[in-house]
């Protein structure tokens, strides 16, 4: 997690870096810091605890080179002392870092034994001291040698007193180089420099870039030159802004009027090809984390319902435990908005060791997952900035439907269902609908627990609903399979406890209504979501009847409810406490 960025060019470097950090704030927002190379080659620094968004000046003098960091704390609490950049003993080398150094205890003891003095509790600081030890070799070689000693996934940027440039290295966490006109950027994510350039080059693992005059890429292992491909990004800077909306989350929820349509605008023959591979594979696994994981879990039901086919959902962090079931004929389908989630990348590594083919559903073109996959379906949702995933979720679901229909040879039937769904989502997201959900949020915003139940296709969405409620409103949300309630959780229901019931016009409707009645009989306040009103509901939010595609339309009112609950409770909507958008640590 954490966002890191660096700039060299004609602009006021520390100001450019400050603005870039504001765009990276979704990655971490505990504290931020900038170091710039002043006119005499001296390093100047500013560090602050808290968010960067309200700052308009860095207080640093104009310069052409600067590096900056916005932190999501891992090693060491949130304090100015632990805020990046971190320095060597002589304050001549400044380092920013995103990732985790697994052998940091050992390195810290070793460096301490050689007289290095540590001023923070972070793992990052060992890198500055390691670079110091090799500094007679020049910054490039010193960084390379230092990174040889460091274990774990990281991205590092370093500057040195008197050196007119910077050096960046990647061993697992994302780093992208932006190529402007006589100005260069390095950053954890593209929106940091989208205002300046859309031309990018991706650093792969175990590579480094030296930016003196223009970027030159090297292998971290051999030190030899590496050729990189220039890629032009088709996102606009506006897409990554809030525009008329108060928060990215509500903007992104509303964008679902278009994003489902954009997602299904795939090359049919590619969809058919992968569907055929699913049909002939020795087992297909779906994997992802958090919300993307719940999309995969829904995929298991989608394939069962539509294609009468068993696929396996495994949460990415657990995927290595399934290694024994993998064969070269197995298929792994990964789902990830960012394409940078560490657990997903680890799952890919596990699968590749067994010769498994990797197919991915990714939003960020050129992300690590995109580049490591044998085939990628870009979900085309545009930049998703709010930590809470919304539009990426429904876009990912839409593509899974297409694949499932294609395995039965009925891709056009699938497309028609999704076209109908997209048009009904467009109708649904009107001001009256939003007001009705806001009214519900007012009724339940003081509650401490919300339970969500579903059955069949809507069971995984009950789990996803809980994630939305938790991360946006900080209310304890908990999702269950409707049938599981009476095996324990029913004991939690008290008078007035809200219970959201996800329904569809399907064969499990009578059973889920039965479960709602069980909750109501214990005093629960029943919120029905679905196409059909029922007497058991205390509050009903209508969703269109789109048959098998009900998970797509049912999750949207829950996204809205979580949003309004968060607003009413004064939560940081786009940047929930303790979380980050891309989880690049395991
Ligand atoms: C979504 O609301 C969550 N913030 C989180 O669970 C997210 O879906 C997860 O971290 C996976 O991210 P990815 O899609 O970028 O891989």
């Amino acid at each position: 997690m954490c966002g890191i960025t660096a700039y060299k060019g004609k602009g006021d470097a520390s100001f450019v870096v400050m603005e870039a950090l504001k765009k990276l704030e979704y990655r971490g927002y505990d504290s931020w810091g900038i170091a710039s190379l002043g006119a005499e080659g001296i390093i100047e620094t500013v560090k602050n605890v808290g968010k960067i968004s309200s700052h308009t000046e860095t207080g640093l003098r104009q310069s052409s080179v600067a590096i900056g960091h916005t932190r999501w704390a891992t090693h060491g609490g949130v304090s100015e002392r632990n805020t990046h950049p971190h320095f060597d003993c002589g304050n001549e080398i400044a380092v920013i870092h995103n990732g985790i150094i697994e052998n940091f205890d050992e390195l810290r003891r070793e460096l301490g034994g050689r007289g290095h003095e540590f001023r923070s509790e972070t793992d990052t600081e060992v890198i500055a001291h390691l670079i110091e030890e090799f500094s007679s070799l020049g910054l490039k070689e010193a960084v390379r040698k230092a990174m040889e000693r460091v274990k774990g996934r990281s991205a590092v940027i370093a500057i040195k007193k008197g050196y007119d440039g910077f050096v960046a290295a990647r061993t697992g966490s994302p780093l992208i180089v932006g190529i402007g006109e006589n100005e260069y950027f390095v950053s954890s994510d593209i929106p940091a420099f989208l205002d300046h350039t859309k031309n990018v080059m991706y650093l792969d693992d175990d590579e480094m870039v030296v930016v003196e005059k223009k970027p030159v890429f090297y292998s971290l292992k051999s030190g030899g030159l590496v050729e990189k491909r220039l890629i032009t990004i088709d996102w606009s800077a506006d897409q990554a802004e809030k525009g008329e909306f108060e928060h990215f989350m509500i903007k992104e929820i509303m964008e679902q009027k278009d994003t489902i349509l954009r997602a299904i605008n795939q090359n049919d023959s590619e969809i058919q090809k992968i569907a055929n591979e699913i049909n002939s594979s020795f087992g297909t696994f779906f994997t992802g984390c958090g919300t993307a994981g719940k999309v995969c879990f829904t995929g298991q039901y989608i394939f069962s319902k539509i294609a009468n086919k068993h696929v396996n959902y495994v949460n990415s962090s657990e995927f290595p435990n399934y290694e024994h079931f993998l064969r070269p004929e197995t298929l792994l389908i990964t789902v990830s908005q960012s394409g940078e989630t560490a657990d997903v990348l680890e799952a890919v590594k596990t699968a590749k060791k067994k010769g498994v083919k990797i197919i991915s559903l990714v939003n960020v073109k050129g992300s690590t997952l995109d580049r490591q996959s044998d085939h990628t379906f870009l979900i085309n949702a545009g930049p998703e900035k709010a930590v809470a995933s919304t539009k990426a979720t429904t876009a990912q679901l839409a593509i899974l439907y297409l694949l499932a229909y294609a395995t039965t040879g009925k891709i056009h039937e699938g497309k028609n269902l999704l076209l109908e769904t997209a048009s009904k989502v467009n109708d649904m997201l009107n001001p009256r609908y939003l007001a009705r959900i806001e009214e519900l949020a007012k009724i339940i915003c003081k509650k401490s627990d919300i339970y969500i139940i579903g059955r069949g296709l809507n069971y995984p969405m009950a789990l996803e609903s809980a994630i939305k409620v938790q991360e946006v409103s900080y209310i304890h949300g908990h999702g269950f399979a409707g049938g599981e309630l009476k095996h324990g959780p029913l004991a939690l229901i008290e008078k007035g406890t809200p219970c959201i019931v996800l329904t569809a016009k399907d064969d499990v409707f009578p059973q889920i209504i039965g479960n709602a009645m069980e909750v109501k009989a214990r005093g629960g306040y029943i919120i029905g979501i679905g196409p059909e009103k029922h007497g058991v509901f205390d509050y009903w939010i209508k969703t269109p009847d789109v048959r098998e595609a009900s998970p797509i339309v049912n999750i949207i009112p829950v996204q809205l409810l979580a949003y309004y609950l968060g607003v009413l409770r004064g939560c940081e909507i786009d940047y929930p406490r303790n979380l980050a958008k891309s989880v690049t640590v395991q």
Side-chain angles (χ1 to χ4, degrees):
M1 340 254 261
C2 301
I4 63 176
T5 191
Y7 172 80
K8 172 157 193 197
K10 51 192 190 279
D12 176 357
S14 59
F15 184 78
V16 174
V17 162
M18 180 178 77
E19 292 305 307
L21 287 181
K22 288 179 185 170
K23 311 259 167 58
L24 292 177
E25 204 165 31
Y26 70 89
R27 302 178 69 87
Y29 29 86
D30 298 336
S31 57
W32 62 275
I34 296 174
S36 75
L37 272 178
E40 306 82 25
I42 290 170
I43 299 177
E44 294 180 8
T45 319
V46 56
K47 291 185 181 191
N48 275 297
V49 170
K51 293 173 74 181
I52 194 170
S53 21
S54 55
H55 293 261
T56 51
E57 280 173 26
T58 63
L60 302 176
R61 283 185 295 168
Q62 182 129 8
S63 74
S64 60
V65 175
I67 61 176
H69 185 276
T70 178
R71 182 165 187 246
W72 185 83
T74 54
H75 293 63
V78 179
S79 65
E80 201 166 312
R81 201 158 90 88
N82 290 332
T83 301
H84 298 217
H86 292 289
F87 288 84
D88 65 322
C89 296
N91 286 326
E92 298 203 340
I93 295 156
V95 168
I96 52 174
H97 168 229
N98 169 32
I100 286 186
I101 300 171
E102 287 165 5
N103 55 338
F104 111 98
D105 257 342
E106 173 194 326
L107 288 171
R108 196 172 160 118
R109 254 181 279 124
E110 181 190 317
L111 288 158
R114 290 202 290 271
H116 289 270
E117 275 180 35
F118 286 83
R119 284 160 287 185
S120 76
E121 302 148 321
T122 65
D123 53 348
T124 304
E125 198 182 341
V126 301
I127 305 177
H129 292 280
L130 282 171
I131 296 175
E132 177 184 2
E133 293 216 326
F134 298 109
S135 70
S136 62
L137 303 173
L139 190 59
K140 178 212 151 197
E141 272 307 290
V143 170
R144 200 169 79 76
K145 292 277 181 201
M147 295 311 285
E148 270 175 8
R149 298 292 324 278
V150 164
K151 291 194 185 130
R153 297 175 167 277
S154 286
V156 169
I157 310 180
I159 55 173
K160 188 177 176 216
K161 182 180 166 190
Y163 176 79
D164 189 21
F166 60 84
V167 175
R170 168 183 172 145
T171 58
S173 301
L175 271 185
I176 301 124
V177 180
I179 313 286
E181 248 180 63
N182 296 321
E183 56 178 1
Y184 305 102
F185 309 80
V186 172
S187 176
S188 312
D189 200 0
I190 296 165
F193 51 72
L194 256 186
D195 283 342
H196 302 264
T197 182
K198 288 183 186 165
N199 294 327
V200 305
M201 289 176 170
Y202 285 90
L203 242 76
D204 284 307
D205 282 349
D206 299 320
E207 287 182 353
M208 63 191 298
V209 61
V210 175
V211 180
E212 250 182 83
K213 291 207 168 56
K214 58 178 194 170
V216 185
F217 296 80
Y218 299 92
S219 153
L220 263 182
K221 294 223 162 99
S222 70
L225 282 169
V226 173
E227 287 287 325
K228 298 299 311 180
R229 203 159 54 93
L230 188 73
I231 297 173
T232 301
I233 297 298
D234 51 11
W235 290 356
S236 72
D238 284 358
Q239 275 182 300
E241 297 299 338
K242 279 189 285 220
E244 75 209 60
F245 294 95
E246 205 175 326
H247 301 103
F248 280 112
M249 184 179 177
I250 188 72
K251 176 186 179 230
E252 289 159 6
I253 292 174
M254 297 307 282
E255 281 176 351
Q256 291 172 110
K257 287 177 173 187
D258 302 317
T259 47
I260 298 167
L261 274 186
R262 288 215 299 269
I264 58 172
N265 191 15
Q266 300 285 335
N267 180 329
D268 284 2
S269 57
E270 287 298 337
I271 293 276
Q272 193 57 58
K273 195 174 127 216
I274 302 302
N276 296 346
E277 289 184 23
I278 294 174
N279 279 335
S280 59
S281 70
F282 180 85
T284 297
F285 283 85
F286 280 64
T287 197
C289 294
T291 293
K294 302 302 171 278
V295 168
C296 293
F297 192 18
T298 316
Q300 193 171 300
Y301 283 85
I302 294 173
F303 273 78
S304 160
K305 185 104 190 149
I306 290 164
N308 200 10
K309 185 162 190 61
H310 176 70
V311 295
N312 310 279
Y313 154 62
V314 182
N315 185 298
S316 300
S317 59
E318 290 299 317
F319 189 77
N321 297 312
Y322 287 71
E323 191 178 348
H324 316 289
F325 303 122
L326 307 176
R327 308 265 184 289
E329 308 77 35
T330 309
L331 211 58
L332 177 64
I333 302 194
T334 72
V335 178
S336 172
Q337 187 285 131
S338 62
E340 300 294 352
T341 301
D343 284 328
V344 180
L345 297 176
E346 206 53 40
V348 166
K349 206 189 259 176
T350 304
K352 280 193 165 184
K353 269 196 283 179
K354 293 291 181 102
V356 168
K357 189 166 182 180
I358 316 291
I359 312 297
S360 293
L361 272 59
V362 172
N363 195 29
V364 181
K365 181 179 170 185
S367 57
T368 308
L369 189 58
D370 176 16
R371 285 172 297 126
Q372 290 187 354
S373 301
D374 296 287
H375 184 82
T376 301
F377 292 108
L378 289 172
I379 64 165
N380 300 321
E384 191 182 68
K385 299 289 287 288
V387 166
S389 186
T390 53
K391 61 177 178 172
T393 310
T394 46
Q396 291 158 349
L397 284 170
I399 296 177
L400 291 188
Y401 277 99
L402 279 188
L403 281 170
Y405 274 98
T407 59
T408 66
K410 294 180 182 161
I411 185 169
H412 293 297
E413 197 179 304
K415 227 171 206 170
N416 286 339
L417 172 66
L418 292 161
L419 286 170
E420 179 191 335
T421 305
S423 124
K424 289 187 171 161
V425 165
N426 188 23
D427 296 343
M428 187 171 123
L429 285 170
N430 62 60
R432 234 163 9 101
Y433 196 74
L434 269 58
R436 175 140 178 87
I437 295 173
E438 191 177 9
E439 179 188 294
L440 171 63
K442 285 180 185 153
I443 298 171
I444 61 171
C445 69
K446 299 249 164 61
K447 300 287 179 186
S448 50
D449 309 281
I450 296 179
Y451 297 100
I452 308 105
I453 56 171
R455 273 181 178 254
L457 277 165
N458 280 288
Y459 162 44
M461 282 299 110
L463 305 184
E464 162 54 9
S465 301
I467 298 183
K468 286 287 98 52
V469 169
Q470 292 157 3
E471 66 184 338
V472 189
S473 72
Y474 307 160
I475 295 176
H476 166 238
H478 213 133
F480 297 101
E484 274 298 290
L485 270 187
K486 51 188 162 295
H487 298 287
L490 205 52
L492 300 168
I493 305 297
E494 293 172 352
K495 191 169 181 331
T497 305
C499 179
I500 299 174
V501 184
L502 302 179
T503 69
K505 277 192 187 167
D506 58 11
D507 48 0
V508 292
F509 184 74
Q511 283 103 313
I512 195 72
I513 291 297
N515 300 137
M517 285 176 167
E518 290 158 6
V519 178
K520 182 131 179 173
R522 272 97 194 154
Y525 179 78
I526 308 297
I527 300 152
I529 293 183
E532 217 159 315
K533 196 171 181 178
H534 191 281
V536 74
F537 300 153
D538 293 294
Y539 202 97
W540 176 49
I541 299 172
K542 188 174 181 177
T543 50
D545 177 15
V546 288
R547 302 168 301 283
E548 281 76 20
S550 62
I552 295 183
V553 293
N554 280 354
I555 196 59
I556 293 174
V558 183
Q559 295 169 347
L560 284 163
L561 179 63
Y563 173 74
Y564 288 119
L565 286 171
V567 171
L568 289 165
R569 290 165 66 93
C571 300
E572 281 276 14
I573 302 295
D574 291 330
Y575 308 111
R577 68 184 177 209
N578 307 337
L579 300 180
K581 181 73 178 160
S582 303
V583 184
T584 55
V585 292
Q586 278 183 279

